[in-house]
Amino acid sequence: MRRRGIAIIIIALMLGMLLAALDQTIVSTALPTIVSDLGGLEELSWVVTAYLLASTVSTPLWGKLGDQFGRKYLFVAAIVIFLVGSALCGLSQSMGQLIAFRSLQGLGGGGLMVLAQAIVGDVVSVRERGRYQGWFGGVFAVASVVGPLLGGLFVDHLSWHWVFYINLPLGAVALVVIVAVLPNDKSRTRHTIDFAGVVLLGGATSCLVLVTTWGGTTFAWTDPVILGLGAAAAGLLVLWAVAERRAREPVLPLELFRLRAFTMASMVGFVVGFAMFGALTYLPLYLQAVHGVSPTLSGVHLLPMMAGMLTMSVISGQIISRTGKYRFLPIAGTALAAVGLLMLSTLTEHSSLTTMGVELLVLGMGLGMTMQVLVIIVQNAVDFKDLGVATSGATFFRSIGGAFGVASLGSVFAARLNEDLFRVLARTRLPPGFEPAQVQQDPTVIRRLPPELAADFLHVYADAIATVFRVAAPIMLVAFALTWFIPQQRLRETTKAADLGEGLGATSAERSSLAEVERGLVRLADADLRRGFYARLGAVAGLSGIAPQGVWIIARLDGEGWVPAEELARRANVSRASGRPYADQLIERGLVERSADGDRLRLTDEGRVAAVRLMRSSLESLRRLVADWGHSPQLEQLCERITPELLGAHVDRPP
């Protein structure tokens, strides 16, 4: 494909992924306004939980169906589902409608994130794939930082409906580009899709989330509804375990839980997601209801947390790549996150916003030190055959942890709010015509009450939100205890090429084990090719005295007949005159010959022998990078397949 066409496709894919990633966080600063408009404060958590559950549980289906039936039209279907869900969310007239449509939106969002990353491999050459993977990781980083801020801006300057409506024009652009420009993927991979595993696991998770949401608030813990949901969750989990033992391609193989590293990392990831999404959901409510800041400013006040996460994720990745050590990072990270949550648990209506910013920075730094590392720990612990499913399993538990965190902390918040309100109402005389339920339905009415009464209600809200963090802090300490059981193992080479996006909470792309290794391999190769690779390769291949640019020309001409010199210069992105001295050197050494008209070049027999040596040397370097996965015919074929594609690309031409 022409480079311009690829660029347009990549932009459309990144746009689709950005929309799906943004909708994990963009609603957080809009939630107080949504609640004041639609009511249903006790259902607030489900606006976030519904999206997370739907996108997480549907991920394995999108990935497998894309492999089996082609990714283009499935991606189109995901965009359509996401846009329909977005439009209906914006049109919602009740919290029940909004929650239902958020589930539909999450179903499409899961497909957008999974398929966008998979399509990159269909349209981009192996040599350039590592760079584009980095861009997609950057999309998640940007979405994590700007999501709450954008949500506040839309609420302040338009309305909360535009948090969802903004997806429509942007998604329509992505849809048109994909339909018009993206070619059909001809390759197909047969799968035995574990529908039973997906449905049973999704059902069990939903029942457990409902138990944590309704237990002790909507229903007593001993109510038949709660007991029935608990029994249903247990029964579904048993059936899921049976289904996984029989499935040819289980969504989450049970034998993974025999690995201590996978089990501990998954449990820690669950708690980290719990804390991250819990904080993002309830802090904007504190800022807007208690301090009276605008939705936009509430997004600004969340930036220290996001900045801490992003900064420490990058630093953690660099430390791991250079030292190969990772165990100390989640230990220190969970300890720091627990300190941040403990500090936030002291919030009152009189707390300084500057102090809160420092506390959020501490929490964000702790989460950043932990999130990036957990995927690496899992990838480094499993065998090659389980690499793909283990990676998706690690991100699954973090996303499910977010859903549980929002739901269960919402239950804590509602219970504490009701208890404190009952105490205030028992000793306070209310203005004529004022209904106490208004405070629960619309927090903004507090600002319209007499100062003495408003102060009581502000304290109620501040105490309820501080209670959320008083509950979250000891749970994070449990994660801190679990991190000590994570073993330190020798770090595999391809595992060092971590993805920042997945470290920041992105849904896994549901890649196969081979695709996971290829992803790390091409990123390592991309970095190596930009660090004097052709000079080293020429020396190893016996081409002493040949300039690196000449080695590149040999690799570029390999497998070709006569190549116009003008075309070769264009591929190298240089003028013909500047490239001529290197071609002349090769001609003098008998490695390349020039046509009679002087306009075309090709390798001589000696040049073809030299090209074979180059390929063999490059192949050996790739084999060394995957050797720590053990012998596998698939890995051998992978190295042989991508070696010719890596050498001679215009992007790695020596300067």
Side-chain angles (χ1 to χ4, degrees), residues 99-129:
I99 291 167
F101 298 143
R102 280 284 283 172
S103 298
L104 181 64
Q105 192 188 30
L107 178 63
L112 290 180
M113 288 190 282
V114 171
L115 296 171
Q117 296 181 76
I119 291 172
V120 172
D122 297 334
V123 299
V124 176
S125 68
V126 169
R127 174 62 187 87
E128 297 184 277
R129 207 169 291 164

Side-chain angles (χ1 to χ4, degrees), residues 183-358:
N184 285 323
D185 174 28
K186 303 297 184 184
S187 63
R188 297 289 185 271
T189 303
R190 298 290 302 174
H191 288 291
T192 304
I193 300 176
D194 184 16
F195 288 108
V198 171
V199 172
L200 292 170
L201 185 59
T205 304
S206 300
C207 288
L208 289 172
V209 171
L210 285 171
V211 168
T212 58
T213 304
W214 290 344
T217 53
T218 306
F219 301 98
W221 287 107
T222 56
D223 189 278
V225 172
I226 300 300
L227 296 177
L229 285 170
L236 289 171
L237 284 174
V238 170
L239 291 174
W240 170 74
V242 173
E244 295 305 274
R245 292 186 184 280
R246 296 179 178 179
R248 290 183 60 186
E249 297 183 40
V251 65
L252 192 59
L254 297 180
E255 58 264 24
L256 287 176
F257 294 98
R258 297 174 186 169
L259 295 173
R260 190 175 71 184
F262 177 83
T263 303
M264 293 299 107
S266 297
M267 294 171 68
V268 173
F270 181 92
V271 177
V272 166
F274 189 104
M276 174 185 169
F277 285 102
L280 281 175
T281 302
Y282 294 100
L283 278 171
L285 183 62
Y286 168 80
L287 289 163
Q288 294 176 41
V290 178
H291 283 276
V293 304
S294 67
T296 301
L297 282 179
S298 69
V300 172
H301 285 298
L302 290 177
L303 287 179
M305 175 180 168
M306 300 304 181
M309 285 174 53
L310 179 59
T311 301
M312 292 311 300
S313 290
V314 173
I315 293 174
S316 298
Q318 292 294 323
I319 291 173
I320 292 171
S321 295
R322 293 177 182 178
T323 67
K325 305 296 182 183
Y326 54 79
R327 182 173 179 265
F328 73 96
L329 286 167
I331 294 174
T334 50
L336 195 59
V339 170
L341 290 170
L342 285 170
M343 295 167 69
L344 287 167
S345 70
T346 64
L347 288 174
T348 69
E349 65 273 26
H350 306 297
S351 297
S352 163
L353 293 179
T354 301
T355 302
M356 190 196 74
V358 173

Side-chain angles (χ1 to χ4, degrees), residues 338-529:
V339 170
L341 290 170
L342 285 170
M343 295 167 69
L344 287 167
S345 70
T346 64
L347 288 174
T348 69
E349 65 273 26
H350 306 297
S351 297
S352 163
L353 293 179
T354 301
T355 302
M356 190 196 74
V358 173
E359 295 166 352
L360 283 175
L361 178 63
V362 172
L363 174 61
M365 291 174 64
L367 294 176
M369 292 173 67
T370 308
M371 295 173 71
Q372 174 82 347
V373 186
L374 295 176
V375 175
I376 294 175
I377 291 170
V378 168
Q379 290 181 330
N380 201 55
V382 300
D383 294 331
F384 169 69
K385 66 180 181 64
D386 294 322
L387 176 61
V389 70
T391 303
S392 62
T395 54
F396 168 84
F397 279 105
R398 188 176 55 227
S399 298
I400 291 298
F404 270 89
V406 176
S408 57
L409 293 178
S411 180
V412 169
F413 168 77
R416 186 68 177 187
L417 183 69
N418 290 336
E419 181 182 338
D420 287 351
L421 280 175
F422 179 79
R423 290 174 182 172
V424 169
L425 295 173
R427 68 172 189 267
T428 304
R429 195 171 190 178
L430 300 176
F434 179 78
E435 292 293 333
Q438 288 180 271
V439 178
Q440 290 175 292
Q441 296 297 318
D442 182 4
T444 61
V445 303
I446 297 174
R447 297 288 168 182
R448 300 194 291 271
L449 294 172
E452 299 81 6
L453 186 57
D456 286 337
F457 284 120
L458 289 177
H459 176 74
V460 165
Y461 264 90
D463 182 60
I465 293 169
T467 302
V468 166
F469 296 106
R470 284 196 287 271
V471 171
I475 294 175
M476 184 60 74
L477 287 175
V478 172
F480 169 70
L482 292 173
T483 57
W484 288 92
F485 294 95
I486 295 176
Q488 172 70 50
Q489 297 173 312
R490 182 178 177 275
L491 193 64
R492 292 185 171 108
E493 291 297 322
T494 55
T495 307
K496 295 178 182 179
D499 188 299
L500 178 62
E502 290 185 6
L504 287 173
T507 301
S508 169
E510 230 15 69
R511 289 178 286 264
S512 66
S513 296
L514 190 65
E516 282 289 349
V517 173
E518 179 180 332
R519 177 173 151 276
L521 189 61
V522 297
R523 292 183 70 159
L524 291 173
D526 175 55
D528 198 29
L529 285 163

